[in-house]
Amino acid sequence: MAVSIKSPREIELMRESGKILGEVHDQLKEIIRPGISTLEIDIEAEKLIRKNGCIPNFLHYNGFPGSVCVSINEEVVHGIPKKSRILKEGDIVSLDCGCIYKGYHSDAARTYPVGEVDPEVMKLVEETKNSFFEGIKMAKAGNHLYDISNAIDAYISQFGYGVVTALVGHGIGTSLHEDPSIPNYHMDRRGMKLQAGMTLAIEPMINLGRADVDFLDDGWTCVTSDRLPSAHYENTILITDGEPEVLTLPKN
Ligand code: MG
Ligand code: MG
């Protein structure tokens, strides 16, 4: 499948979808506290997404039962919201969700501390976010796709963390997952050339320990094989001739 180049009209819709999702994440951040269940977070996420005239794109995606993936500690991604899963002091929790606005998808993830978190784990959370911003320094027309991958990997490798290879970022637009796949790990080739109008979901998933992951019997939850914590940070971006536009963060 060819990578889609969005028209000016489509870019406007992607911007609106992203803006709403950024605001949803900001509001969800406020409810993160010890004692809340992952199902309560999901209910709030769906309410916020629908209140803004959007559809949660994760709900029923390949049968996923929630509007947000809520992944705690050693869970890398795709945690299923449950009434019985309660956040506790010292956890880290990643929220991954997306909106469909007039047919256009956005996708973003954040990892938050729950109360006071071990400094070593907090550093993982912060450096995972930093690696996203290191990666998108390369995200401009004329550069190549894997320049982004290599920048993320080069940044993360200095800390000795494990870069998840089982899952990758992706193109996004009228579908949640479009071509191209965007690894967060080193590639020997530079890959395809980036063009203005491409919209991409860049999402480093970084493990405190080894890179290996397992998938639980629930068919969804991805966990680190060594059960050490993992962090996830994602935004939907627009490639331009200059700096990329991060569609799922508020503009400053
Ligand atoms: Mg996501
Ligand atoms: Mg994604």
Side-chain angles (χ1 to χ4, degrees):
M1 194 174 98
V3 176
S4 65
I5 305 295
K6 274 71 179 179
S7 69
R9 176 189 152 270
E10 290 181 295
I11 288 170
E12 273 315 308
L13 295 171
M14 291 294 295
R15 280 193 183 113
E16 188 59 24
S17 183
K19 179 171 175 277
I20 292 166
L21 181 58
E23 289 165 2
V24 166
H25 267 297
D26 285 350
Q27 288 168 289
L28 289 176
K29 182 183 183 184
E30 299 303 317
I31 67 168
I32 299 300
R33 56 174 169 77
I36 194 168
S37 74
T38 60
L39 183 66
E40 285 172 274
I41 296 167
D42 181 63
I43 290 168
E44 187 63 20
E46 180 170 4
K47 199 172 78 183
L48 290 168
I49 290 167
R50 293 196 190 278
K51 196 177 83 178
N52 284 285
C54 293
I55 299 165
N57 47 14
F58 284 28
L59 187 61
H60 309 315
Y61 184 87
N62 291 336
F64 190 78
S67 296
V68 56
C69 296
V70 188
S71 308
I72 305 172
N73 298 336
E74 76 278 7
E75 296 169 354
V76 179
V77 287
H78 302 166
I80 298 173
K82 285 195 190 86
K83 198 175 170 180
S84 58
R85 281 309 293 286
I86 310 290
L87 299 188
K88 59 180 197 308
E89 179 86 19
D91 286 342
I92 56 169
V93 62
S94 84
L95 307 184
D96 186 1
C97 59
C99 293
I100 310 171
Y101 175 77
K102 296 187 178 171
Y104 285 81
H105 291 249
S106 52
D107 185 8
R110 312 276 183 257
T111 300
Y112 299 118
V114 183
E116 201 71 29
V117 166
D118 181 297
E120 187 192 23
V121 177
M122 203 54 224
K123 182 173 167 63
L124 170 73
V125 171
E126 282 160 6
E127 298 302 358
T128 299
K129 179 176 175 177
N130 291 341
S131 74
F132 166 87
F133 289 99
E134 287 297 318
I136 69 162
K137 284 180 184 169
M138 305 308 291
K140 66 176 76 168
N143 280 355
H144 290 251
L145 184 65
Y146 300 151
D147 296 344
I148 302 172
S149 310
N150 291 341
I152 293 170
D153 188 277
Y155 182 77
I156 281 301
S157 66
Q158 67 180 306
F159 307 107
Y161 298 148
V163 177
V164 173
T165 58
L167 298 156
V168 294
H170 50 95
I172 182 167
T174 51
S175 301
L176 174 57
H177 295 116
E178 297 186 352
D179 279 346
S181 291
I182 310 169
N184 298 301
Y185 48 89
H186 178 80
M187 301 291 284
D188 288 330
R189 294 173 296 122
R190 289 182 76 196
M192 61 177 290
K193 211 173 212 185
L194 296 171
Q195 291 179 52
M198 290 178 174
T199 46
L200 308 174
I202 310 287
E203 49 178 319
M205 290 156 266
I206 310 295
N207 298 346
L208 185 63
R210 293 173 40 177
D212 311 67
V213 298
D214 299 323
F215 291 87
L216 299 186
D217 289 340
D218 64 16
W220 282 103
T221 316
C222 173
V223 299
T224 57
S225 297
D226 58 15
R227 301 301 191 262
L228 290 174
S230 182
H232 184 201
Y233 186 81
E234 175 182 31
N235 284 298
T236 299
I237 69 165
L238 168 69
I239 301 295
T240 75
D241 291 318
E243 295 301 305
E245 221 179 289
V246 182
L247 303 181
T248 45
L249 281 176
K251 282 198 190 63
N252 290 316

